[in-house]
Amino acid sequence: MCHLVAELRVKGVPIHGVEFQSHFVLGSTPAEEQLRQSIDRFAGLGLVVQITELDSRVPADRQDEEGFAQQAEELRRVVRVCREHPACDTVVVWGVDDGHSWRSADRPTLFDASFQPKPGYAAVVGELAGPRLHAADGP
């Protein structure tokens, strides 16, 4: 994708940024270094990067305290990388609650079907509340 975007920009297509649609499955969320490297590739082209549609599906056999704690940490990790990277300026979560999600049985959102916050909510809000390390730097 990075090569395609680079080629299009060389041809004069006005591309200023890219979105990383982020529908993850518990345990498959990229490591922080992998996320940084992906953002770096596009930042190297002078582009802004946005994390969009962030959610994390939790398989039925992992829908317990430990599984939701892992979901929270994986979501926090994605938000942290974006906040730390000067080229990443936005995180958008997918859906509001598990009851209205396109993958409701996998409980991927920050709120349960009764609109009660899950551990992922506190993790994401806590990460967003912290200082942005590179806020003064631009992409």
Side-chain angles (χ1 to χ4, degrees), residues 9-73:
R9 291 192 75 203
V10 166
K11 293 178 181 180
V13 177
I15 299 173
H16 305 289
V18 296
E19 297 178 4
F20 289 6
Q21 285 190 14
S22 304
H23 299 294
F24 298 116
V25 177
L26 192 69
S28 71
T29 304
E32 287 187 34
E33 189 55 33
Q34 290 174 303
L35 287 167
R36 279 189 203 94
Q37 289 172 355
S38 292
I39 295 171
D40 284 344
R41 282 188 208 97
F42 290 96
L45 298 175
L47 300 174
V48 171
V49 175
Q50 298 181 343
I51 305 294
T52 62
E53 302 184 22
L54 178 62
D55 65 4
S56 177
R57 298 187 328 241
V58 180
D61 65 339
R62 296 293 315 278
Q63 292 179 8
D64 55 22
E65 187 175 332
E66 183 180 310
F68 291 119
Q70 182 178 345
Q71 179 190 45
E73 183 51 38

